[in-house]
Amino acid sequence: MEKWLKSISFIFVSIVFFQFNLYAGTTGKIAGRVIDAQTKEALAGANVVILNTSLGASVDLDGTYYIINIPPGVYDIEASFIGYQTVRKQKVVVTVDRTTTVNFELQPTVLETEVVEVVAEREDIIRDLTATSQKVSGAQIRQLPVENLGDILSLQAGVTQDPGGGIHLRGGRSDEIQYYVDGIAVTNPFGRGLAVPVQNNVIQEMEVISGTFNAEYGQAMSGIVNIVTKEGGDQTNVSFSAYSGDFVSTHDDVFMNINHIDPFSQKYVEGAISGPVPLFNKRIYYFISGRFRDEENWLYGKRLHMPSDTADFTSPDPENWAVQYTGDGKIIPMNPSREVSYQAKLTFKPFSNLKMSYNFLGNSSRWKNYDHHNKYNPEYIPTHYSQGITNLFVLTHTISASTFHEFRMSYYWDKYERHCRKDPFDPFYDQGIHKKIDVPQDVFAVGGVDAGFEYRENLTTAIKYDLVSQVNKYNLIKIGVEYRRHDLKDEWFVVRKDEGTNWQLQIDDLSSFAHNYYHKKPLELAAYIQDKIEIEDLVVNAGIRFDYFDPNSKVPVNMTDPSNKRGAPEDYAYRDATVKTQISPRFGLAFPISDRGNIHVAYGHFFQIPDLGRLYENPEFEVIGRFESFIGNADLEPQRTTMYEIGLQQQLIQNLVMNVTCYFKDIRHLAGTKLYKTFEQDEYGQYANNDYGNVWGITASLDLRKMGMISANLDYTYQIAEGNGSDPKQAFYDARNRDESAKTLIPLDWDQRHVLNAIVTVSGKSWGISSISKFHTGFPYTPITTYNRAPNIQLKNEGRRKAEFNMDLRLYKSIHFGKITTRFFVNIENVFDNLRNEYRPEITERDLRVHEPKTFLNSLYEYRFNPATQPMPRLVKVGLDVEM
């Protein structure tokens, strides 16, 4: 009954919001005035057109005009009127969700065919910026030494990247980001990363909104990454890039095999072709691209042991220890990765007011994660596999010069696997699964295999209908609804063998603690309304968003018997998880303080369902032992954030702009842990909404647009990110280790107080150098000291690592052969080959004496110093780009 009431409530709210969906922006707007250059009077009826497009507008009685629904890019704009010179402004830049102001002053003339061409000045101050946003064009990405989306994101102000590579926007957890591609959310519900990776060479423009984003964006608490992909044009363009390289480092005491230089250990090939489809009179356009990446990477082991190897360490005299060495001694990459990604986009324009596009993105990858304990038994380590496809269909119909609507459909599928061999009954496991070998302390593993298997699959279908209307020259209205259905499957099990089955390989059934499976179909619905008000000295973005989520699952009623061992009727033992709803207001405004300065303030409430994997974890609610078990919670409430910010843009001199923003986030109902005890006295944890935190900070940036040969961007972030737990399971781990959980706010694991990024580009007519420099203070950690030969754990995250600096460099030289441009380049990452020396272990004389009998196996230093704690060593890549 409750679900029906919630559904009726949703329908009612949808009606209130006019049954339309507000979409993630993929287009921009041009507006301005056309006046007589001598009298300064409005030229009502003048025409303004965007050349080589069907877009244009007529000038109103007061001389104003606006053109909406413009894809991001660079355009030539032309204004004309009978009896006046035609003026053409070149290189006008249009970006997503922004209004570009282009004013015209026309001179009277008797020669109506005369055209005056001028290069448009780029606006230094973004007058309609009501929340912090950074935009990066495809052309800018191409000039930088970056490989993937994460590299680009880590350069933005307010963004930190933890040692594991996780991206945190303004101090939030890494799963608090929503990703959009071509106007529709494509976030993987498992882990909340991008469902299918997008290649750098297909990005037309990428926007990172780390501030108080508008109501059109949902299911995110920290930020939005909005990607608009390229599409074909009137001319056929072909590009190709190939490069390779290896690590060049002197740190052979840290990284095994680093002295062996193989110029093809890191290989990359990518290409793209675009243009009009022949025989269709420039009504159908295509953009096709592909990329292959094969990286051996920098962490190696040596195959001294095979999984079938065993050892006997039972004798108190190490001289009598027996250890098998059946490996071939070959050096083995232990964190390799390989990826193939591809995209095909078709754009069909049958009429000037109708546009359809279909975008297909695919990806297939595999990789391994370094395991230091198995450095000499590398076959132990499982391989991770992922593949996915995304289908995006968009139909845009322009009703009038001021109104258009869009129908969008998306279908994305992704699959993840983790195992050493695909077949769980492979003889490999029969040889590698044996009685546990208890190796001595500080000794590498001998034999054995990871017998765990994991399969995860998701299929998400989404439908959106959007309406955007410039109802008058002041108000741009966006309204609408969205439907999204997930189909989630997850299975995890361990292959084992025991005496009771004559030592045959077996997989336990689902009643076993060693085998879990679920298949869930949660539902999301949303409705939004947003108004962008632009008057002469004020821009207001105001909106409200409604979210609805049905987890479509059950939760236990009696937490002392979550798996229903007492055999109560199902209806009594379990109940349906409740539907979750949230109404989130958003507000932002921007206003000038001078002709070269602008201030913005913003406020908003944000809503996000936790990572869906946390809702359904351990679906049979099985519990054993003391804090060995953890169960999901499909009844988790939405996580909520309230965000405030105030910012200033100030043009200091021509082409030099300063931005300063202060922000505060109050974070509540984060996924955390609640501890329980069963009637059998087993202790376990379950996800609950009892974590919290707050973040406040200041970002400041200087943006030097092209000045001679130099352009640069410098940004600094001071930020404090605190909470009661960095990991949702932190309280569970604390209880298992008999530690006391945090009772007050402590620095979160990714809390970096100071971050400074500098991007500098120096370019000539056919050459260029670009560098990315990063300086940041260290991450917090929990120090452990020794007192009376016993470890003494200090307060959580009381310590602070040392500051770090890194620089990446790109150098290129272009050579032109007619219409073919060849660019030779060198990319160098970690130019100074920096290390984190404080991560080297502190070893006492007593430690050495204790370990001395085991030194014939490995040294103590070698075991305790994990090279994975170090940054990637210096990497040099050489290659070429070809464009025609």
Side-chain angles (χ1 to χ4, degrees):
M1 183 65 181
E2 186 176 5
K3 286 191 177 183
W4 282 106
L5 290 175
K6 294 290 187 180
S7 299
I8 293 171
S9 299
F10 170 77
I11 293 171
F12 172 77
V13 173
S14 298
I15 293 172
V16 171
F17 288 157
F18 310 109
Q19 298 180 354
F20 292 107
N21 170 61
L22 184 65
Y23 70 103
T26 59
T27 59
K29 170 183 169 184
I30 292 177
R33 297 193 72 213
V34 181
I35 61 174
D36 186 301
Q38 298 176 1
T39 66
K40 307 303 180 183
E41 294 181 353
L43 295 180
N47 291 317
V48 180
V49 297
I50 302 177
L51 299 181
N52 300 316
T53 75
S54 59
L55 300 172
S58 294
V59 176
D60 293 340
L61 292 176
D62 61 354
T64 61
Y65 75 95
Y66 55 81
I67 306 172
I68 64 172
N69 196 26
I70 308 171
V74 181
Y75 299 92
D76 293 344
I77 316 296
E78 192 173 88
S80 60
F81 193 59
I82 297 175
Y84 287 81
Q85 287 179 332
T86 296
V87 174
R88 181 179 301 160
K89 292 203 172 182
Q90 301 173 319
K91 299 182 179 179
V92 175
V93 178
V94 176
T95 59
V96 169
D97 280 342
R98 293 282 175 262
T99 299
T100 301
T101 301
V102 182
N103 296 318
F104 292 90
E105 294 187 4
L106 306 188
Q107 292 281 358
T109 182
V110 295
L111 300 174
E112 297 177 7
T113 59
E114 184 178 349
V115 177
V116 178
E117 295 184 344
V118 295
V119 176
E121 293 185 3
R122 184 170 180 176
E123 296 176 305
D124 287 331
I125 299 298
I126 306 173
R127 64 179 300 272
D128 61 337
L129 180 71
T130 59
T132 302
S133 166
Q134 293 98 27
K135 298 178 187 291
V136 184
S137 69
Q140 291 172 312
I141 293 172
R142 186 168 172 268
Q143 292 181 341
L144 298 175
V146 292
E147 279 296 333
N148 52 51
L149 192 63
D151 294 338
I152 304 168
L153 292 177
S154 66
L155 300 177
Q156 312 308 313
V159 176
T160 56
Q161 189 170 19
D162 63 41
I167 299 293
H168 304 265
L169 296 188
R170 287 194 174 176
R173 291 176 174 175
S174 60
D175 61 357
E176 294 178 2
I177 303 171
Q178 183 77 287
Y179 295 87
Y180 287 79
V181 174
D182 287 347
I184 196 163
V186 287
T187 303
N188 190 330
F190 293 109
R192 296 192 59 81
L194 188 61
V196 175
V198 177
Q199 307 158 209
N200 287 354
N201 69 335
V202 309
I203 298 175
Q204 175 69 25
E205 181 175 284
M206 185 182 79
E207 179 181 25
V208 181
I209 309 175
S210 56
T212 308
F213 41 90
N214 289 340
E216 58 194 285
Y217 302 103
Q219 287 288 8
M221 296 200 303
S222 288
I224 300 296
V225 177
N226 187 20
I227 300 169
V228 179
T229 62
K230 295 177 181 178
E231 58 183 44
D234 289 338
Q235 302 296 322
T236 299
N237 294 298
V238 179
S239 63
F240 174 81
S241 180
Y243 51 108
S244 66
D246 198 3
F247 297 92
V248 180
S249 173
T250 59
H251 300 308
D252 54 354
D253 62 328
V254 177
F255 303 105
M256 177 183 286
N257 199 49
I258 202 70
N259 289 333
H260 176 72
I261 304 299
D262 177 1
F264 298 102
S265 71
Q266 313 286 114
K267 300 179 284 292
Y268 313 82
V269 178
E270 62 184 31
I273 181 170
S274 64
V277 176
L279 307 178
F280 284 92
N281 196 25
K282 294 186 178 180
R283 293 189 181 275
I284 302 180
Y285 301 86
Y286 66 90
F287 183 95
I288 301 172
S289 70
R291 185 174 197 245
F292 170 75
R293 174 178 62 85
D294 186 2
E295 298 172 320
E296 197 169 284
N297 286 323
W298 66 97
L299 296 174
Y300 292 85
K302 182 180 286 188
R303 194 157 51 201
L304 299 180
H305 302 290
M306 293 299 290
S308 58
D309 285 355
T310 61
D312 183 359
F313 297 106
T314 57
S315 173
D317 183 1
E319 297 267 344
N320 297 323
W321 287 351
V323 181
Q324 275 190 308
Y325 292 90
T326 64
D328 56 10
K330 185 178 180 182
I331 299 294
I332 303 295
M334 291 185 67
N335 67 328
S337 63
R338 175 178 291 188
E339 179 184 40
V340 176
S341 54
Y342 39 91
Q343 186 221 24
K345 187 174 184 179
L346 285 176
T347 306
F348 181 33
K349 301 177 182 178
F351 310 106
S352 61
N353 65 343
L354 185 65
K355 176 182 175 181
M356 292 179 284
S357 68
Y358 169 70
N359 196 359
F360 174 85
L361 298 104
N363 176 271
S364 177
S365 59
R366 70 185 189 196
W367 69 97
K368 289 187 176 184
N369 295 326
Y370 180 76
D371 182 343
H372 187 58
H373 182 61
N374 283 280
K375 180 177 179 179
Y376 296 120
N377 181 35
E379 299 300 322
Y380 175 95
I381 303 173
T383 303
H384 303 255
Y385 302 86
S386 73
Q387 55 182 315
I389 57 172
T390 296
N391 296 270
L392 303 172
F393 173 76
V394 182
L395 186 151
T396 304
H397 177 225
T398 302
I399 300 172
S400 68
S402 60
T403 303
F404 68 95
H405 57 162
E406 291 186 298
F407 173 78
R408 297 171 184 264
M409 290 184 63
S410 72
Y411 168 100
Y412 58 87
W413 166 86
D414 61 88
K415 183 178 181 180
Y416 165 82
E417 299 180 17
R418 181 187 67 86
H419 45 69
C420 289
R421 296 288 190 274
K422 191 173 184 64
D423 181 4
F425 299 103
D426 191 298
F428 176 80
Y429 290 104
D430 193 45
Q431 299 169 7
I433 300 175
H434 40 65
K435 291 182 179 180
K436 182 179 179 182
I437 303 172
D438 292 319
V439 298
Q441 186 178 359
D442 297 321
V443 171
F444 289 105
V446 176
V449 63
D450 186 327
F453 283 72
E454 185 173 3
Y455 300 92
R456 206 165 56 210
E457 187 173 5
N458 168 63
L459 190 157
T460 297
T461 304
I463 300 174
K464 303 173 70 179
Y465 178 75
D466 314 307
L467 176 70
V468 181
S469 180
Q470 185 81 44
V471 295
N472 54 47
K473 65 181 181 181
Y474 303 116
N475 297 84
L476 178 66
I477 302 288
K478 304 177 182 180
I479 49 182
V481 294
E482 176 181 1
Y483 163 91
R484 188 179 305 276
R485 168 72 77 175
H486 303 284
D487 189 335
L488 311 174
K489 297 178 183 178
D490 187 281
E491 183 174 15
W492 174 87
F493 61 84
V494 175
V495 178
R496 66 184 188 88
K497 58 182 182 178
D498 58 38
E499 189 175 4
T501 57
N502 294 320
W503 303 104
Q504 297 297 308
L505 293 175
Q506 67 175 32
I507 301 172
D508 293 346
D509 59 31
L510 292 176
S511 63
S512 167
F513 189 76
H515 192 174
N516 282 321
Y517 172 81
Y518 65 76
H519 184 189
K520 304 292 183 180
K521 296 183 179 182
L523 172 68
E524 295 180 47
L525 299 168
Y528 329 68
I529 183 168
Q530 182 88 27
D531 185 11
K532 183 178 182 180
I533 306 167
E534 296 180 275
I535 55 181
E536 186 173 350
D537 292 326
L538 183 68
V539 177
V540 177
N541 264 310
I544 191 167
R545 177 182 180 88
F546 174 81
D547 284 283
Y548 170 104
F549 177 76
D550 183 356
N552 195 19
S553 189
K554 293 183 180 293
V555 292
V557 173
N558 183 0
M559 301 309 292
T560 65
D561 187 17
S563 59
N564 195 23
K565 290 183 178 180
R566 289 172 169 167
E570 288 289 311
D571 291 343
Y572 288 94
Y574 303 100
R575 63 172 176 82
D576 289 336
T578 59
V579 167
K580 309 300 185 297
T581 59
Q582 165 99 354
I583 294 178
S584 308
R586 316 277 174 83
F587 177 80
L589 62 87
F591 53 90
I593 55 174
S594 69
D595 60 343
R596 300 202 302 177
N598 209 47
I599 284 180
H600 79 268
V601 295
Y603 160 84
H605 290 259
F606 303 91
F607 158 105
Q608 182 180 315
I609 296 296
D611 174 354
L612 297 187
R614 303 194 191 280
L615 274 62
Y616 310 120
E617 185 176 327
N618 190 356
E620 290 89 26
F621 311 113
E622 297 155 333
V623 176
I624 60 171
R626 180 188 178 277
F627 295 118
E628 296 181 32
S629 310
F630 202 96
I631 67 175
N633 184 1
D635 216 19
L636 280 174
E637 292 292 325
Q639 303 174 117
R640 296 181 173 93
T641 292
T642 304
M643 192 184 307
Y644 312 81
E645 74 170 75
I646 180 169
L648 165 70
Q649 297 178 76
Q650 181 65 47
Q651 181 182 351
L652 302 179
I653 59 174
Q654 186 69 29
N655 292 328
L656 181 62
V657 177
M658 176 185 70
N659 281 274
V660 180
T661 302
C662 302
Y663 56 89
F664 175 78
K665 294 168 60 177
D666 182 37
I667 309 166
R668 303 288 173 176
H669 291 160
L670 280 174
T673 295
K674 190 171 183 179
L675 305 176
Y676 294 95
K677 183 180 290 187
T678 70
F679 71 93
E680 296 177 318
Q681 302 306 301
D682 291 328
E683 295 173 293
Y684 69 99
Q686 184 192 35
Y687 290 112
N689 294 97
N690 54 11
D691 276 9
Y692 54 89
N694 62 56
V695 180
W696 68 271
I698 300 172
T699 63
S701 67
L702 289 173
D703 187 9
L704 176 63
R705 288 159 191 186
K706 190 76 172 177
M707 183 177 289
M709 294 191 300
I710 301 176
S711 61
N713 177 268
L714 179 72
D715 69 69
Y716 165 76
T717 301
Y718 174 78
Q719 178 177 271
I720 296 178
E722 296 180 321
N724 68 317
S726 302
D727 189 305
K729 291 185 178 181
Q730 189 61 58
F732 174 77
Y733 298 140
D734 291 340
R736 174 192 286 174
N737 298 327
R738 301 186 186 275
D739 294 335
E740 185 176 357
S741 295
K743 304 298 183 184
T744 59
L745 293 176
I746 61 173
L748 297 172
D749 289 351
W750 52 88
D751 175 55
Q752 282 183 322
R753 297 298 165 90
H754 304 275
V755 179
L756 181 66
N757 295 325
I759 303 173
V760 179
T761 300
V762 180
S763 58
K765 188 174 181 180
S766 62
W767 61 272
I769 303 173
S770 62
S771 67
I772 298 174
S773 301
K774 300 179 183 180
F775 170 85
H776 62 79
T777 51
F779 291 102
Y781 74 102
T782 303
I784 300 177
T785 59
T786 301
Y787 179 73
N788 287 337
R789 298 185 179 180
N792 180 28
I793 300 175
Q794 306 297 306
L795 294 176
K796 285 187 176 63
N797 283 353
E798 184 182 36
R800 182 71 61 170
R801 299 293 186 186
K802 293 181 180 179
E804 296 182 19
F805 173 78
N806 182 70
M807 176 182 282
D808 298 335
L809 198 64
R810 179 180 176 90
L811 305 91
Y812 72 86
K813 169 66 177 176
S814 298
I815 300 176
H816 301 278
F817 302 96
K819 294 183 178 181
I820 300 176
T821 299
T822 301
R823 173 181 295 185
F824 298 91
F825 64 86
V826 177
N827 283 1
I828 307 174
E829 301 176 35
N830 192 1
V831 172
F832 299 108
D833 201 21
N834 292 327
L835 289 178
R836 299 179 181 127
N837 285 315
E838 65 171 321
Y839 282 72
R840 293 179 183 268
E842 295 182 5
I843 299 175
T844 66
E845 291 185 9
R846 178 180 178 276
D847 293 333
L848 291 172
R849 286 196 304 271
V850 171
H851 187 79
E852 187 175 2
K854 315 167 195 173
T855 52
F856 77 94
L857 295 171
N858 57 257
S859 72
L860 180 60
Y861 182 85
E862 180 188 12
Y863 185 86
R864 291 194 180 178
F865 185 28
N866 185 345
T869 62
Q870 297 298 310
M872 182 183 73
R874 182 192 297 117
L875 173 60
V876 180
K877 294 179 285 192
V878 180
L880 60 86
D881 295 328
V882 179
E883 293 183 353
M884 61 186 79

